[in-house]
Amino acid sequence: MPGLIIAAPSSGSGKTTITLGLLRALKQRKVAVRGAKSGPDYIDPRFHEAACGQPCANLDAWAMQPRQIRELAATDDLLLIEGAMGLFDGAPPAGKGAVADLARQLKLPVVLVVDASHTAQSIAPLVQGFSGHDPSVKVAGIILNKVGSRRHEMILRAALETVDIPILGAVFRDVKLKTPSRHLGLVQAQELEGLEDFLDHAALQMTRYVDLTKLQKLATPTPHRKARQPKPQTGAVIAVAKDQAFSFIYPHLIDRWEMAGNRIAYFSPLSNEAVPSADLVYLPGGYPELHAQSLSEASIFLESLRSAAQISDIYGECGGYMTLGESLTDADGKTHEMAGLLSLQTSFADRKLHLGYRTLAAENGPVAGHHKAHEFHYATTVKADGAPLFEATDAEGFPLPPMGLRQGRVCGSFAHIIERGLS
């Protein structure tokens, strides 16, 4: 089936809302459709899944090899890939990992979502510049977003008559299409009250103002989907924490574990569930700081985690890493006791942004090897004593201070591994 990339000149143009509306609208038309997300985002993919009822993959042109991207993009459905940031924005210095890289690798056309709220005739050179910047990236259509009025739409369309790119629609400013935010982006899909009403309203606006038939005709073939057979479940048991506090899980890593014959056993720390008997316990990232009180009182979970540390490898990422520490101080300055398996104290009382791609190397343990990863958090490290887990460099290859901690069979860091994944 064919695919399209939904991109924009910059962040804040409304790509996510447009993509969600298109996914829901096409689903309502009985079109077999699914979404994918460019980059390391954990939040938007869950909204994609809510919009169309199909799994959403992350496609990361910085961290992943082109072969893996093609495999993850292979689908029997119409694929809408939502870009991140601007079309040509990527990691420094040359912009590697930009949405444009996905367009080149997958040979897919781009639909450019342009925020028209503060422009009129100047939209023409803007669109012309993006369409002509790189001949290998085809801008095949335009969606005008946040249009102020019918007269504003008329001015925009007249200005774009000199640009040989079809206008697929003009979506008007609408307060009902705004979504709440948190420090890491959108509130998680399962937390958003009235999500179905929001998605249905977004779909209604796309149906009214975007030519969905013309949009579908612009799509070009995605890679052929190859049938895969998982190995028999004779490998390790991997216990994975999964709930509102631990939800930042890349589906492609879970899929890889299962295809290798491992069995995944999910459990919920927030429900005070005991850690299942496993070879590896994985505490992914999420929002433990929002649930720190509940986690500190989850005695069954904490005691079972401490017991598991004697017989199982335990690995925590970002929020999971903080949970493995001695304490976590929330944004209100209240300190909560955590598992105490690492000599680590973290705090959100004095927030500081840590952001960027990372290349990691670990010599031993469950994450031995070299990995591509991403760091994005506002936590401050108050105390971190012990052996570091990773040697690290940034996206440009410059050395960073060692990341994370390891103590016995327990380890973790603030980085989220994207590729190669856990060994």
Side-chain angles (χ1 to χ4, degrees), residues 65-249:
Q65 296 296 320
R67 178 179 177 182
Q68 185 185 8
I69 289 174
R70 290 193 296 270
E71 289 176 352
L72 290 172
T75 175
D76 296 326
D77 305 326
L78 172 63
L79 182 68
L80 298 186
I81 302 173
E82 180 195 346
M85 303 185 294
L87 175 57
F88 297 100
D89 295 331
K96 181 182 178 182
V99 185
D101 287 340
L102 288 181
R104 297 185 197 98
Q105 291 179 23
L106 296 172
K107 297 181 173 59
L108 291 180
V110 171
V111 171
L112 199 67
V113 176
V114 182
D115 178 356
S117 58
H118 300 291
T119 189
Q121 289 85 357
S122 293
I123 197 170
L126 172 69
V127 172
Q128 188 70 64
F130 270 82
S131 65
H133 179 70
D134 186 342
S136 66
V137 178
K138 180 182 179 182
V139 177
I142 308 164
I143 294 177
L144 304 174
N145 195 27
K146 304 179 186 179
V147 178
S149 64
R150 287 293 184 185
R151 177 169 176 76
H152 187 201
E153 178 190 5
M154 180 184 69
I155 293 170
L156 295 169
R157 287 184 179 273
L160 288 167
E161 286 180 355
T162 60
V163 181
D164 188 24
I165 302 174
I167 300 172
L168 303 177
V171 180
F172 293 85
R173 285 198 295 264
D174 186 344
V175 294
K176 293 181 180 180
L177 292 181
K178 290 186 178 180
T179 51
S181 297
R182 183 178 286 154
H183 64 265
L184 288 180
L186 293 171
V187 171
Q188 296 179 89
Q190 66 269 27
E191 297 178 311
L192 184 58
E193 185 177 351
L195 176 60
E196 286 300 307
D197 291 339
F198 168 80
L199 292 171
D200 286 340
H201 182 70
L204 177 63
Q205 299 305 91
M206 297 308 111
T207 302
R208 282 177 175 171
Y209 301 122
V210 177
D211 189 332
L212 298 177
T213 300
K214 184 182 290 186
L215 180 134
Q216 287 180 255
K217 289 181 179 178
L218 291 178
T220 58
T222 56
H224 178 67
R225 187 183 184 115
K226 297 179 181 179
R228 298 185 303 158
Q229 293 296 326
K231 295 180 180 178
Q233 287 191 349
T234 57
V237 176
I238 303 175
V240 178
K242 186 178 182 181
D243 54 29
Q244 289 189 8
F246 303 95
S247 60
F248 293 175
I249 303 170

Side-chain angles (χ1 to χ4, degrees), residues 292-416:
Q293 182 70 38
S294 297
L295 289 172
S296 69
E297 296 172 351
S299 57
I300 295 174
F301 158 64
L302 290 174
E303 286 304 318
S304 66
L305 186 64
R306 293 165 186 144
S307 297
Q310 308 304 314
I311 58 175
S312 304
D313 289 323
I314 299 178
Y315 169 63
E317 287 186 336
C318 202
Y321 174 53
M322 291 186 280
T323 304
L324 293 172
E326 297 171 355
S327 67
L328 191 162
T329 301
D330 61 27
D332 295 325
K334 184 177 180 180
T335 299
H336 307 270
E337 183 181 350
M338 294 288 111
L341 294 173
L342 294 173
S343 297
L344 174 71
Q345 297 175 4
T346 53
S347 174
F348 285 85
D350 183 18
R351 299 182 354 141
K352 181 180 179 181
L353 176 61
H354 301 78
L355 171 65
Y357 282 115
R358 309 290 184 240
T359 298
L360 308 176
E363 293 185 358
N364 48 48
V367 287
H370 292 78
H371 313 284
K372 297 294 186 179
H374 189 256
E375 184 179 8
F376 188 0
H377 65 92
Y378 283 87
T380 299
T381 300
V382 178
K383 168 189 173 183
D385 294 334
L389 176 61
F390 293 119
E391 295 295 324
T393 60
D394 65 13
E396 298 180 74
F398 294 117
L400 296 170
M403 293 188 67
L405 293 171
R406 57 182 176 87
Q407 185 172 328
R409 303 191 70 165
V410 181
C411 62
S413 82
F414 278 113
H416 300 270

